[in-house]
Amino acid sequence: MAVMITDECIACNACEPECPNNAIYDAGVAYDYAGEEHPALNDDHTYIVPEKCSECVGFYDEPQCIEACPTEAIIMDPDRVESKEELMKKKEYLDQVGR
Ligand code: SF4
């Protein structure tokens, strides 16, 4: 699964530099994916782009952003369950198209 940021987020952005996939964006800021810009997914707090989150598979053993969050606002997204293989494919796709 990808991870997600809940409403507990205080938008401190401590997690943002931790993400090796550049999947974390400020509230209201458009994100890049596969060479295209897309509208922000959240206007109220920092957010994660699910298509860009590999749960850090391919880089680290654990999601780096979860540890970085001071309010425990980053959780596994129960609606986006993915296998390690699927997550590695996402990472490899991002290797090709850019982050
Ligand atoms: Fe980025 Fe890893 Fe957090 Fe996913 S789990 S958003 S890849 S730091």
Side-chain angles (χ1 to χ4, degrees):
M1 56 194 96
V3 305
M4 61 179 284
I5 298 180
T6 70
D7 290 344
E8 298 298 313
C9 174
I10 56 171
C12 70
N13 288 350
C15 57
E16 199 176 322
E18 302 300 324
C19 181
N21 284 318
N22 193 25
I24 303 176
Y25 290 81
D26 291 355
V29 172
Y31 68 94
D32 296 315
Y33 179 63
E36 287 181 22
E37 190 173 282
H38 302 267
L41 298 179
N42 196 302
D43 290 327
D44 299 323
H45 59 68
T46 310
Y47 68 94
I48 292 173
V49 179
E51 289 80 7
K52 297 179 78 172
C53 174
S54 70
E55 293 177 33
C56 289
V57 165
F59 295 100
Y60 305 106
D61 291 339
E62 301 288 338
Q64 300 296 292
C65 51
I66 292 178
E67 284 296 311
C69 180
T71 63
E72 298 184 1
I74 308 182
I75 62 170
M76 294 294 184
D77 185 344
D79 292 331
R80 294 182 185 274
V81 179
E82 294 164 285
S83 68
K84 278 254 185 312
E85 290 72 26
E86 288 170 317
L87 291 163
M88 185 57 88
K89 276 191 192 146
K90 272 168 118 173
K91 186 261 181 195
E92 289 169 351
Y93 180 67
L94 292 169
D95 286 343
Q96 291 172 15
V97 299
R99 295 181 164 81

